[in-house]
Amino acid sequence: MGNSLKQGYKAISSRDLRASKSVSHHHTPANRLDEKPKAFMRIEEEDQLDVILDAIEQALKKFQHGTDQIAPAQYVGTLCSGFNDAASMMSTLSQNCESLNSQLTIKNLSAECYTLLCDVLKSASKLHWAGAALSLVVYVLEQVDQGSKNTSECLSLLLAMRDLAKHIRALLPQLPEADEKLKTATSLIAQGTVLCCTHVKSGTFSKLCFAGSTKDSMDQLRKLIEGVYPNLTLTAVEKVLERTSKLTRQISLPLSPSIPVYPSGKVGLDERVDMVITMLEMEDSEMRAVVLHGMGGIGKSTLGDGVYAKLNFTKGRNHCKVEVGESPSLDKLRDLQANIMERLSGKKVRLGDHREGSQCLGQFLGNECQEPLFIFIDNVFNADVLTDLLPEELTLPKHSRVLVTSRDANACPVLEEMGFKCSKYKVEELDLCQARRLLCLHAFGGKEAAEAEAAAEKQNNFVSILRLCAGLPLALEVVGKYLKSRNWDSASKHVVDSLQSCDSLTGNKENRLYRSLEFSYGQLAKADAKSFLDITAFLVDLPWEMVSHVIGEGRLKALEELALIKQKLDVDKVTRVHVHDLLIALGRNKETGIRVWSDGALWLPPALKEDETDMKKIEGLSLRNCKEALPAETLDVLCKSLRVLILENEVIGQCSNSPYQLQLLIIKGAMPFQNLCKLSQLAVLSICEVDMDFKDFEFPRELKALSLECKKLRELPTNFQDLHSLHTLDLRFCENLERLPAGFGQLSSLQMLELGSCKSLKELPDDFGQLQALQYLDLGGCENLTELVPSFGWLHKLQTLELWQCKSLHKLPDNFGQLLSLCELNLHGCESLQSLPDSFGQLSNLNTLSLASCSCLTKLPDNFGSLNSLLELKLTDCISLKEFPESFNQLTTLQLLHINEYNLQTVQELVDCLFIINEDLLYEPISSPWPSDESDYDYSD
């Protein structure tokens, strides 16, 4: 703060809230207040609230980093006035509470604060209520110090108070004069002020000795504060505040990633997430990076996902996530570079090698990207990898951020050499209280947390298990999952005996963690253990559904219940099989030689150069990024036992044998087998970049998942409709595919069909509507597709429909409204589409709709307001959209509306509608946070 403002603060602080000694302790609060000037009555203009908001941000930085901010001279009067009013109220509250003596509790203190606030502002205007809220936040930020108890909880509460203050300021022009929700919000901030001030070392409330017993109260209050406007994000608030003059352009790109879901059931995560977000300093214009570092299994990736999810990028910042992994090959680094560009540009990218990738990435980030970027680089084992992945001279748009998770703390200097202002955050193990809670969560499942912890304390071996797991989240999770639904006494004794027998107590934390994972693996049945080893060797990061066709859904679920594998939704909204690096290492250490992989090596594995007797035992082979060609004769030897085959390298010659036991085949670049139709066990087939047209190709009849990416493919075989077991068909980027065969609608089991970027596809077959099992359809980028067939409305199970960049699509079928299961519809860039069918309003389950860049769309149907499940609507760059139906304000569920400045009158109309839509939502009364009697809300220990 500036010197004059500091002096004002110092003068106020020196009173230490002990002013007004003449106030009698025997008077009622109302009588005592009559002797003092009313607080918060000096805010006369709304602009003064913006001054206080700036002070909140400055004081927050001061609290977090100890920096000294400078306040402009013209702001000093307003800030000192607001601070003085807040100090006066806290001083009065302190003296009021002295009369309570030994009966004083956190609850009584909060109730007294509420009474005082209501008396002070009983007849005040909404401007004064808002000024009170904002001034109290500044006050508490200037009072709380870094040495206070429960600093992380206090910071989380402060951040929630700050966010609520922003909401209040933004919504104030729209609020009625006597708005109860504003009073509730201000009361919550006042209560937060009291709780935070019990943590100030030298403050009046510190003598009450509540600091050690308010942790739970602070957490409960934070949740109440966050619940005042549960469906209104800060992004929406900023749109309201900026109005039409500063509305930010929103354009959804077809390959743009979705924001990950905030990790659930993670103890201690919220406070860490808030701390990292604070370190990122999102409002600062410099390029900044934060490195989350720590040992494996400590929760770095979970923390990173939590930060990414909570930042909730809905405006003005392109974002992406890539996962590096251990010892990535140069080809993998090239693929990651392409992935970054694809996610940020929305366009398919092909690169020669990682050097070309580094150059192209540097040009793309420096020249093509205009908006701030957020790049999350996960799971970096060695910091030097960053120099191969990212350009040497890296220039990003202002306000850009990079988040890195790594076991190597030296990632920070590497990023600093690239021009980042970098901070690092060490992820530590959980404390005893958090570890107990997490173990209970996994071991006792659905029981209420308090009930589970109370029961756990009485269980034998509970403390021993906590000590053996050493506060490591992954160890606590796998051990807890094993104990769940088992007899506690026998199972817990088995855990303790097994882990102690491994001398895990005398080993380091890494050793303890590995032993706990090894214990969990050791409890698997033989068939489940075999499946786990298959996954760790070959199937990590493949789509869950694809792996289920090979392993079986039942076995996947059994491994998931033990936390050995997980389902993970990636940025493409595809659920994949995720396995922690330490568990992958465990599985590969247990390998007996029947599974062979190249693991990024340039040369063929030694196991492929041994005698035939040993080679015939091999059941799985994966050659990825291997430069040495594989002789067809070697593959012939393996054919008898192979169940899994992944070939992404050159094969010399053609095989004379067929692998009849094969369940999964992934081929890239060469097809070594002449005839696949006899492979009756084959469930998953993926063929990419092969020199074939497939015109007369015969696929195995029992195939469940098929992926083809081939430029020569113009049409599918005529007998393709015989694949009655096919669940998933992926034909993306088959640029020359012109049509689907007659009888395509007979694929009665087909649930997912991907035809994205099939640029030559002009029409769908007439029987397309007979795909009664279809749930997901991607036709995005089919530039020559002019219309959908009349039978399209028969797809009653369709949930997601991608039609982005279908530039020739000029209309939707009249029966489009019969797609009653449709939840997501993306029509971005359908520049020939002029109108939507009259039946469109019948889409009762539609929650996400993008009409962005539909430049010829002139109107919406009259029944558009009947979309009673719509949550998000994108209308950016709809330059011909001039009018809206009267039913538009009936969209009572709408939460996010993406618009821009092309038609100012239209935008203003939409913004006004947004307020009408959300009026009930914004002002819906909530129950008072102040307890009415002792049993309602317990603030004590």
Side-chain angles (χ1 to χ4, degrees):
M1 298 291 179
N3 290 334
S4 57
L5 182 58
K6 274 187 173 181
Q7 291 171 1
Y9 280 154
K10 185 175 181 181
I12 295 168
S13 299
S14 66
R15 294 194 301 269
D16 197 21
L17 308 181
R18 292 188 292 270
S20 305
K21 288 290 184 179
S22 60
V23 178
S24 170
H25 296 168
H26 303 290
H27 293 170
T28 63
N31 290 335
R32 290 197 302 267
L33 288 169
D34 288 339
E35 300 177 23
K36 296 179 61 62
K38 285 193 174 182
F40 314 122
M41 300 302 287
R42 308 174 194 184
I43 306 293
E44 302 297 338
E45 302 291 340
E46 286 187 15
D47 290 347
Q48 291 177 284
L49 298 179
D50 298 324
V51 174
I52 305 177
L53 272 181
D54 289 341
I56 289 174
E57 296 301 330
Q58 293 171 3
L60 186 61
K61 288 181 180 179
K62 179 180 178 181
F63 170 63
Q64 292 165 337
H65 305 299
T67 57
D68 202 13
Q69 306 295 327
I70 304 299
Q74 66 268 30
Y75 290 174
V76 172
T78 297
L79 295 181
C80 280
S81 173
F83 189 93
N84 185 32
D85 290 337
S88 176
M89 175 178 167
M90 291 297 106
S91 174
T92 303
L93 176 63
S94 172
Q95 295 177 34
N96 291 358
C97 291
E98 288 180 14
S99 62
L100 295 174
N101 298 324
S102 60
Q103 284 75 40
L104 185 61
T105 65
I106 285 290
K107 177 187 171 182
N108 293 337
L109 189 61
S110 299
E112 185 72 11
C113 177
Y114 178 53
T115 301
L116 179 60
L117 185 69
C118 290
D119 285 338
V120 169
L121 295 172
K122 185 174 182 180
S123 58
S125 70
K126 65 178 182 179
L127 184 60
H128 299 131
W129 278 92
L134 273 61
S135 297
L136 283 166
V137 178
V138 176
Y139 169 80
V140 71
L141 280 166
E142 283 296 324
Q143 293 294 300
V144 176
D145 54 85
Q146 286 282 7
S148 305
K149 292 184 179 179
N150 296 333
T151 300
S152 62
E153 289 79 10
C154 194
L155 177 58
S156 297
L157 179 56
L158 277 170
L159 290 172
M161 291 164 62
R162 184 273 311 268
D163 290 346
L164 184 53
K166 283 187 175 181
H167 282 88
I168 290 171
R169 169 62 189 103
L171 294 171
L172 190 67
Q174 309 300 322
L175 298 179
E177 191 58 48
D179 184 59
E180 291 300 322
K181 200 158 191 178
L182 171 59
K183 295 179 181 180
T184 298
T186 304
S187 299
L188 286 171
I189 288 178
Q191 184 182 356
T193 302
V194 172
L195 286 177
C196 288
C197 285
T198 63
H199 297 253
V200 181
K201 281 185 174 181
S202 58
T204 300
F205 295 127
S206 62
K207 64 186 179 184
L208 301 177
C209 301
F210 289 145
S213 62
T214 57
K215 182 176 181 180
D216 291 339
S217 300
M218 296 177 81
D219 186 56
Q220 292 177 47
L221 181 61
R222 176 180 57 79
K223 292 176 181 177
L224 283 171
I225 287 175
E226 292 171 348
V228 175
Y229 297 107
N231 295 303
L232 188 65
T233 65
L234 279 179
T235 298
V237 167
E238 288 166 5
K239 283 186 179 179
V240 172
L241 184 61
E242 294 169 359
R243 304 294 287 174
T244 56
S245 61
K246 297 182 181 179
L247 282 169
T248 303
R249 187 178 180 187
Q250 291 287 319
I251 298 180
S252 298
L253 297 170
L255 289 178
S256 289
S258 59
I259 299 169
V261 177
Y262 192 83
S264 60
K266 303 299 181 181
V267 175
L269 180 64
D270 294 347
E271 296 84 356
R272 297 182 179 193
V273 165
D274 289 340
M275 186 67 73
V276 174
I277 290 176
T278 302
M279 294 174 67
L280 283 167
E281 295 191 42
M282 302 301 288
E283 301 304 320
D284 192 279
S285 62
E286 294 182 280
M287 288 196 318
R288 286 187 174 272
V290 172
V291 175
L292 312 179
H293 67 99
M295 63 172 284
I298 201 71
K300 301 182 296 295
S301 295
T302 300
L303 176 55
D305 284 338
V307 171
Y308 190 9
K310 190 163 185 178
L311 286 173
N312 192 26
F313 296 115
T314 54
K315 78 163 200 172
R317 192 183 299 268
N318 287 327
H319 53 93
C320 70
K321 174 185 175 181
V322 291
E323 185 170 353
V324 177
E326 185 176 6
S327 303
S329 65
L330 295 179
D331 284 347
K332 181 174 181 180
L333 290 175
R334 173 205 62 199
D335 293 341
L336 291 174
Q337 292 163 340
N339 191 259
I340 292 173
M341 286 186 276
E342 287 175 356
R343 298 303 151 207
L344 298 179
S345 70
K347 301 174 182 178
K348 188 70 175 176
V349 176
R350 295 187 184 277
L351 301 170
D353 57 30
H354 85 285
R355 292 186 183 87
E356 178 188 348
S358 181
Q359 183 179 1
C360 292
L361 182 60
Q363 293 174 350
F364 169 76
L365 295 174
N367 300 328
E368 296 185 35
C369 295
Q370 303 299 322
E371 296 181 346
L373 305 176
F374 180 86
I375 302 175
F376 179 17
I377 305 175
D378 191 22
N379 204 17
V380 177
F381 275 66
N382 189 325
D384 292 337
V385 170
L386 293 172
T387 60
D388 294 324
L389 175 65
L390 300 175
E392 290 183 11
E393 297 182 3
L394 186 59
T395 303
L396 300 179
K398 289 183 178 180
H399 300 281
S400 292
R401 297 292 180 265
V402 170
L403 181 66
V404 176
T405 65
S406 178
R407 300 185 190 182
D408 188 354
N410 291 323
C412 227
V414 172
L415 290 168
E416 286 172 345
E417 290 181 5
M418 295 179 181
F420 285 94
K421 190 170 183 179
C422 192
S423 305
K424 56 185 177 181
Y425 179 92
K426 185 175 182 181
V427 184
E428 302 279 7
E429 64 271 16
L430 302 177
D431 61 34
L432 184 61
C433 180
Q434 293 170 331
R436 180 174 67 244
R437 194 176 306 168
L438 184 60
L439 181 60
C440 289
L441 181 68
H442 293 303
F444 300 104
K447 291 184 179 180
E448 292 294 331
E451 178 187 347
E453 290 193 48
E457 296 292 348
K458 302 175 183 178
Q459 302 286 0
N460 295 327
N461 301 312
F462 186 81
V463 175
S464 297
I465 292 173
L466 282 178
R467 190 172 69 254
L468 288 164
C469 291
L472 301 170
L474 185 57
L476 291 161
E477 183 176 10
V478 295
V479 170
K481 292 290 188 183
Y482 167 76
L483 292 168
K484 186 178 180 181
S485 302
R486 286 180 168 83
N487 178 272
W488 176 271
D489 289 338
S490 58
S492 62
K493 184 177 185 303
H494 182 43
V495 170
V496 172
D497 291 345
S498 298
L499 297 185
Q500 284 181 337
S501 66
C502 298
D503 294 326
S504 58
L505 278 176
T506 59
N508 57 28
K509 292 175 183 177
E510 287 83 357
N511 183 49
R512 293 190 187 192
L513 178 55
Y514 185 83
R515 295 306 182 190
S516 66
L517 303 182
E518 192 173 44
F519 165 80
S520 184
Y521 168 78
Q523 311 313 306
L524 294 176
K526 185 175 181 180
D528 290 338
K530 179 181 178 182
S531 297
F532 176 73
L533 296 182
D534 281 344
I535 291 172
T536 55
F538 309 120
L539 308 177
V540 174
D541 292 332
L542 291 181
W544 183 276
E545 184 183 21
M546 179 185 292
V547 176
S548 71
H549 296 321
V550 178
I551 300 295
E553 185 69 22
R555 289 213 169 92
L556 281 180
K557 289 294 185 183
L559 294 172
E560 185 183 27
E561 288 175 1
L562 290 173
L564 295 176
I565 67 172
K566 293 182 179 180
Q567 299 187 50
K568 189 169 186 178
L569 188 68
D570 72 0
V571 293
D572 295 315
K573 301 182 182 180
V574 176
T575 302
R576 298 185 180 273
V577 175
H578 175 73
V579 185
H580 196 280
D581 292 320
L582 294 175
L583 286 165
I584 294 175
L586 172 67
R588 294 190 171 189
N589 286 340
K590 298 296 182 182
E591 182 50 54
T592 59
I594 65 173
R595 300 170 186 84
V596 177
W597 55 88
S598 61
D599 208 16
L602 296 177
W603 312 109
L604 293 175
L608 299 182
K609 300 178 181 179
E610 298 177 355
D611 60 74
E612 291 191 8
T613 303
D614 292 331
M615 288 173 58
K616 287 180 179 178
K617 298 177 183 178
I618 295 176
E619 297 181 9
L621 174 63
S622 174
L623 299 179
R624 285 190 168 112
N625 303 313
C626 182
K627 302 303 181 184
E628 184 179 359
L630 177 68
E633 294 81 4
T634 301
L635 199 52
D636 271 330
V637 175
L638 302 174
C639 278
K640 184 176 181 180
S641 302
L642 275 181
R643 295 182 293 108
V644 175
L645 178 60
I646 301 173
L647 287 178
E648 295 185 358
N649 66 324
E650 182 183 358
V651 177
I652 302 175
Q654 286 283 312
C655 292
S656 57
N657 297 331
S658 296
Y660 292 109
Q661 304 301 316
L662 205 61
Q663 296 174 281
L664 179 143
L665 175 60
I666 297 177
I667 297 289
K668 182 178 181 180
M671 172 57 77
F673 304 111
Q674 297 178 352
N675 191 351
L676 295 181
C677 65
K678 296 181 180 179
L679 304 184
S680 59
Q681 302 296 315
L682 191 63
V684 176
L685 174 62
S686 176
I687 303 175
C688 178
E689 298 178 10
V690 297
D691 190 20
M692 299 173 60
D693 61 13
F694 294 95
K695 184 176 181 180
D696 299 316
F697 196 85
E698 189 172 353
F699 293 98
R701 296 290 180 88
E702 299 304 316
L703 206 58
K704 291 182 172 61
L706 172 62
S707 176
L708 299 176
E709 183 180 342
C710 179
K711 290 186 177 181
K712 282 193 172 183
L713 181 67
R714 294 185 179 276
E715 56 183 327
L716 295 170
T718 54
N719 63 349
F720 195 82
Q721 69 270 18
D722 294 336
L723 302 180
H724 298 298
S725 299
L726 195 65
H727 284 226
T728 303
L729 176 60
D730 186 352
L731 299 173
R732 286 176 297 173
F733 306 108
C734 292
E735 297 178 355
N736 293 304
L737 180 67
E738 297 176 355
R739 66 182 64 86
L740 300 176
F744 190 83
Q746 298 177 28
L747 299 175
S748 56
S749 299
L750 193 63
Q751 297 178 8
M752 178 178 289
L753 174 59
E754 303 206 47
L755 295 165
S757 297
C758 291
K759 297 181 179 180
S760 300
L761 187 67
K762 298 179 180 178
E763 59 183 6
L764 301 176
D766 292 338
D767 62 351
F768 193 85
Q770 295 179 18
L771 298 172
Q772 294 297 296
L774 195 63
Q775 298 177 21
Y776 179 93
L777 174 60
D778 181 4
L779 290 165
C782 294
E783 297 177 352
N784 287 299
L785 185 68
T786 58
E787 60 182 1
L788 305 177
V789 292
S791 65
F792 198 87
W794 304 349
L795 301 173
H796 299 307
K797 292 186 178 181
L798 189 64
Q799 297 176 13
T800 302
L801 176 57
E802 298 283 350
L803 290 167
W804 50 267
Q805 296 292 333
C806 288
K807 296 181 178 181
S808 302
L809 185 68
H810 59 85
K811 69 173 184 177
L812 301 177
D814 292 338
N815 62 0
F816 194 83
Q818 296 178 17
L819 302 175
L820 298 181
S821 298
L822 193 64
C823 297
E824 297 183 36
L825 174 59
N826 187 355
L827 290 163
H828 172 94
C830 292
E831 56 189 37
S832 299
L833 188 67
Q834 298 180 8
S835 62
L836 301 175
D838 292 338
S839 63
F840 197 85
Q842 300 172 20
L843 300 173
S844 57
N845 284 305
L846 189 67
N847 56 54
T848 303
L849 171 61
S850 177
L851 295 168
S853 298
C854 290
S855 53
C856 289
L857 186 67
T858 58
K859 65 176 184 177
L860 302 175
D862 292 338
N863 61 358
F864 193 83
S866 298
L867 300 174
N868 52 21
S869 296
L870 194 63
L871 301 176
E872 182 174 8
L873 173 61
K874 299 181 180 181
L875 293 171
T876 49
D877 298 337
C878 292
I879 58 178
S880 300
L881 192 59
K882 303 295 184 182
E883 59 184 76
F884 296 89
E886 293 182 0
S887 65
F888 196 87
N889 62 8
Q890 297 173 15
L891 298 174
T892 56
T893 58
L894 191 64
Q895 295 178 11
L896 284 175
L897 176 62
H898 302 259
I899 49 182
N900 60 355
E901 69 282 2
Y902 272 103
N903 186 314
L904 188 60
Q905 182 177 356
T906 298
V907 170
Q908 182 66 56
E909 181 181 344
L910 280 176
V911 172
D912 291 342
C913 281
L914 181 61
F915 281 114
I916 296 171
I917 291 164
N918 286 291
E919 185 172 15
D920 292 337
L921 179 68
L922 293 177
Y923 309 130
E924 179 183 356
I926 63 172
S927 57
S928 172
W930 310 99
S932 58
D933 79 40
E934 292 285 339
S935 61
D936 289 340
Y937 200 48
D938 186 10
Y939 286 96
S940 64
D941 287 324

